[in-house]
Amino acid sequence: KMPRYALVIGITQNHSSLKTLERSAAEARAIAAVLQNFGNFQVDLMVKPEETTYKALEAKLLEFLEQRALRQEAAIYYTGHGFQLKGTFGKKEAFLAPSDCLVELDADGQVVKQQNGLSLTAVNALAAEAELSNLVMLLDCCHSGYLLEKSLLKDTFSSFSQKDYWLMTACRSFQAALARRVDPYSIFTGAVLAGLQRDRANDRGEITAGSLFHFVEEALRGKPQEPMQLSVGRPIVVVSYPLPAPAPMPEPK
């Protein structure tokens, strides 16, 4: 099998008023283990604060999309803070928050100034331009649905019909991505990990991106966050489990 390449990012601490996300590193490690062990992915795992600064992430995303995964199958998973910046005329833009990101909040807790935020629009443009054979992207952060609710994104990805893309976000653009205190993982990543278990595989031992989304969507039904997906092209297999050996034929008497 050809190797596939995955970039897995978990950001626990930020410099500013964004609270520490205790679970992010554990979530990233759990996703990395599944992709490596059952997805045939060579994984770059980035969870240390010095690996997840704005400059480090920008350089890594460029290197990953333009060189490491060039013409290969790729996956990107991000867990950490996401935020919206209030702009002119109430327009908002969504950002991922690297470990050195600084934000300023107004009295309502809305972000009005930011430094070192990684623009989701820019990440999308970079991913769309990259020469990949296919791409799976999972975003577990607040406001992540911003990426899929912009018609611009659908236009960008639809024009890449010779490639296969699948993106899933933990929530809509106006929603937060949540975690319950009693759980080891966030609501979304917990559902993703459950959806990638061996017992969810089809009769070929495979779990496709589409079947994973249906599982996560059901798991989050009735919760205050709604996962979203955008799929372009053919179904993408995320993980593949070895099939059990067939039972031996009974010996004739």
Side-chain angles (χ1 to χ4, degrees):
K1 272 187 179 178
M2 290 280 287
R4 310 160 89 197
Y5 297 93
L7 179 58
V8 176
I9 301 160
I11 301 180
T12 302
Q13 287 180 303
N14 294 89
H15 282 342
S16 62
S17 48
L18 298 165
K19 68 173 195 260
T20 297
L21 297 171
E22 304 290 353
R23 298 172 182 79
S24 289
E27 288 167 354
R29 288 192 180 101
I31 292 283
V34 174
L35 292 180
Q36 192 167 305
N37 295 334
F38 303 108
N40 197 39
F41 283 97
Q42 291 188 11
V43 180
D44 286 343
L45 176 65
M46 303 175 74
V47 290
K48 296 176 183 159
E50 65 272 19
E51 295 171 330
T52 56
T53 62
Y54 177 87
K55 276 209 166 118
L57 281 183
E58 182 187 41
K60 189 67 192 181
L61 277 161
L62 264 172
E63 185 260 339
F64 178 78
L65 287 166
E66 293 186 350
Q67 294 169 39
R68 187 159 168 75
L70 183 67
R71 292 189 275 282
Q72 305 292 328
E73 298 187 32
I76 296 173
Y77 166 85
Y78 171 89
T79 181
H81 277 296
F83 64 91
Q84 285 190 322
L85 181 68
K86 236 169 42 170
T88 321
F89 305 121
K91 294 274 186 212
K92 291 181 175 171
E93 191 183 350
F95 293 83
L96 305 178
S99 50
D100 59 347
C101 178
L102 297 165
V103 298
E104 203 175 290
L105 308 177
D106 65 11
D108 301 325
Q110 301 285 314
V111 178
V112 287
K113 267 192 195 163
Q114 71 86 23
Q115 200 179 333
N116 295 334
L118 195 60
S119 157
L120 265 185
T121 311
V123 171
N124 151 49
L126 184 70
E129 287 164 12
E131 287 186 53
L132 308 170
S133 96
N134 67 38
L135 173 66
V136 166
M137 194 189 291
L138 300 164
L139 296 178
D140 188 359
C141 59
C142 298
H143 312 296
S144 49
Y146 171 92
L147 192 59
L148 304 191
E149 287 176 31
K150 293 284 164 198
S151 58
L152 169 73
L153 181 74
K154 292 195 175 72
D155 297 342
T156 311
F157 278 98
S158 301
S159 63
F160 284 76
S161 50
Q162 74 274 30
K163 303 191 190 95
D164 307 313
Y165 284 95
W166 181 76
L167 291 79
M168 180 162 67
T169 66
C171 58
R172 305 280 305 270
S173 62
F174 53 86
Q175 292 175 330
L178 305 170
R180 294 188 315 172
R181 275 191 189 157
V182 294
D183 296 336
Y185 306 119
S186 71
I187 290 173
F188 175 75
T189 291
V192 169
L193 288 165
L196 290 173
Q197 293 296 310
R198 183 188 294 268
D199 61 358
R200 299 271 317 119
N202 62 19
D203 54 8
R204 292 184 299 281
E206 299 168 344
I207 298 172
T208 64
S211 70
L212 174 60
F213 178 75
H214 291 306
F215 179 88
V216 172
E217 190 178 36
E218 278 302 310
L220 268 61
R221 198 174 291 285
K223 303 280 195 302
Q225 68 187 81
E226 182 187 340
M228 295 181 70
Q229 71 166 342
L230 174 65
S231 167
V232 176
R234 295 162 296 189
I236 299 175
V237 173
V238 183
V239 294
S240 187
Y241 289 95
L243 294 173
M249 292 289 285
E251 293 282 330
K253 286 190 176 171

